[in-house]
Amino acid sequence: MVTVHVSVPDELPAPLPAELHYDMSDPYAVRLSLGAPAARPVDWVFARLLLTEGLRRPSGTGDVLVIPRHRCHPHSVRVVLRSSAGAALIDIAESAVAAFVQRTVSLVPPGTESLHIDIDRALAELTGRRD
């Protein structure tokens, strides 16, 4: 668990507990959970590659953007989350993001993700089969 700083329009930045998750059964994705676990956190799922690239350069389009070393917080990575309700800027310590990415890479090296997907289970979930 780390503390992130969340900024939304017309509000002062606020600290919030957060956690990055990685599941080898969904090797292309990471999950960012915002809020205390007891309070039903809000989860955002996006590409691991997006987070990895975002450590070095601005990355992403659409609902999730990752920007390294923002000028206001030079030791953080900024994650921009957008939805129909608005946008939030999440500043996470760069060291925490880099350590998390390194742990995921040690579990599933880039380029080997497809070896960790259970195709039969994925097809069963898509088709609703329960064989």
Side-chain angles (χ1 to χ4, degrees):
M1 184 89 42
V2 297
T3 298
V4 300
H5 290 87
V6 179
S7 302
V8 295
D10 302 323
E11 299 284 334
L12 292 173
L16 189 67
E19 195 165 6
L20 286 163
H21 302 273
Y22 184 71
D23 182 346
M24 290 173 52
S25 69
D26 190 3
Y28 292 102
V30 295
R31 180 170 40 102
L32 173 61
S33 295
L34 299 167
R40 296 185 110 186
V42 174
D43 291 337
W44 283 77
V45 178
F46 52 95
R48 174 175 76 159
L49 184 59
L50 174 61
L51 189 61
T52 302
E53 288 181 353
L55 285 167
R56 295 185 311 275
R57 62 180 176 82
S59 300
T61 58
D63 294 343
V64 181
L65 309 171
V66 182
I67 304 164
R69 297 181 196 90
H70 189 267
R71 70 183 184 292
C72 296
H73 299 277
H75 301 291
S76 16
V77 172
R78 175 162 280 183
V79 179
V80 180
L81 303 174
R82 296 188 274 200
S83 74
S84 59
L89 308 176
I90 314 296
D91 291 307
I92 309 171
E94 180 184 30
S95 59
V97 174
F100 170 78
V101 167
Q102 186 54 47
R103 286 192 303 275
T104 73
V105 166
S106 67
L107 290 170
V108 178
T112 67
E113 293 91 348
S114 64
L115 301 174
H116 297 272
I117 296 175
D118 181 349
I119 296 296
D120 292 332
R121 183 181 58 85
L123 286 172
E125 286 177 5
L126 287 172
T127 61
R129 283 186 321 164
R130 293 184 182 11
D131 294 344

